[in-house]
Amino acid sequence: MNYSIYLFDFDYTMADSEKGIVGSFHHTLKARGFAPVPDEHIRRTIGLPMEDAVRQITGLQDIAQVTAFIEEYRCFADTYMTPNTRFFPETIPTLQTLRARGAHTAVISTKTRSRIAEKFEQDGVMHLLDFIIGREDVAVPKPAPEGILCALQRLGGQKAETLYIGDSHIDARAAQNAGTDFAAVTTGTTTAAEFKSFPHVKIMKSLAELID
């Protein structure tokens, strides 16, 4: 798979942040008086825009209530997120290889840029990315193509030389909407069978398959 630009989702694609996300939701639900929610229900929302995840988990629809929930969630995430986020074993070696080959690499995620940057900085590997585009950097989150198209504009790249890699149908639809190739990785909650209904160049078990 030879491209000059590799754009990645973050949660469940590059890193396992499940423990931090699920834990932060449980703390917020308890603090705001909600009944407990099964872990699996929370896991299935990872990768969605935060507003959508909160609506699915809590049933809230009022934007002011959703916003208040997210603000409290972020307070818990400040404590629990990064310490409970781990890069998948293949992530850093894959990035190192792609960079050595002269490729551009960036992250396009519905997670906030600052939270992703915190993890890369903590592990001393920020130099392996050109930049991060997070939720705060776009007007409309994935599956809208804004983040991917913004990245191409910043890099001066072409769609034909770009691959977007992600673990969910949100990512597959974002690549489709942006007009770029898509490679799926099954390290999240979306199965290979589910990905087959979306345009893709490859369905992978891990990021290591990008450099096979």
Side-chain angles (χ1 to χ4, degrees), residues 33-187:
F34 286 89
V37 172
D39 287 359
E40 181 60 23
H41 187 40
I42 298 173
R43 289 181 68 243
R44 296 293 299 184
T45 70
I46 294 176
L48 291 176
M50 190 62 180
E51 296 85 352
D52 293 344
V54 170
R55 290 187 182 100
Q56 285 194 25
I57 291 168
T58 65
L60 293 173
Q61 297 301 321
D62 179 75
I63 187 60
Q65 292 180 317
V66 170
T67 299
F69 188 99
I70 292 173
E71 288 175 355
E72 187 152 8
Y73 172 95
R74 286 174 178 159
C75 292
F76 287 112
D78 286 341
T79 298
Y80 297 105
M81 188 65 67
T82 300
N84 289 293
T85 298
R86 301 288 182 269
F87 284 116
F88 290 121
E90 303 85 0
T91 298
I92 301 307
T94 297
L95 288 175
Q96 290 171 331
T97 299
L98 293 175
R99 300 291 283 191
R101 292 178 179 176
H104 290 289
T105 54
V107 174
I108 316 296
S109 175
T110 55
K111 201 182 192 79
T112 57
R113 169 175 30 85
S114 57
R115 192 76 67 194
I116 298 168
E118 185 175 50
K119 178 58 181 172
F120 274 89
E121 289 167 354
Q122 179 190 68
D123 285 36
V125 290
M126 184 62 85
H127 64 284
L128 296 177
L129 296 177
D130 286 281
F131 51 79
I132 298 165
I133 294 177
R135 177 63 185 93
E136 67 267 51
D137 300 313
V138 297
V140 185
K142 296 182 298 183
E146 183 181 348
I148 295 174
L149 297 179
C150 178
L152 293 184
Q153 184 176 35
R154 289 176 65 173
L155 293 169
Q158 301 298 314
K159 294 178 182 180
E161 59 184 346
T162 301
L163 182 68
Y164 186 62
I165 304 102
D167 68 279
S168 76
H169 66 91
I170 297 290
D171 301 315
R173 289 163 56 203
Q176 187 175 13
N177 291 336
T180 64
D181 283 350
F182 174 70
V185 63
T186 56
T187 41

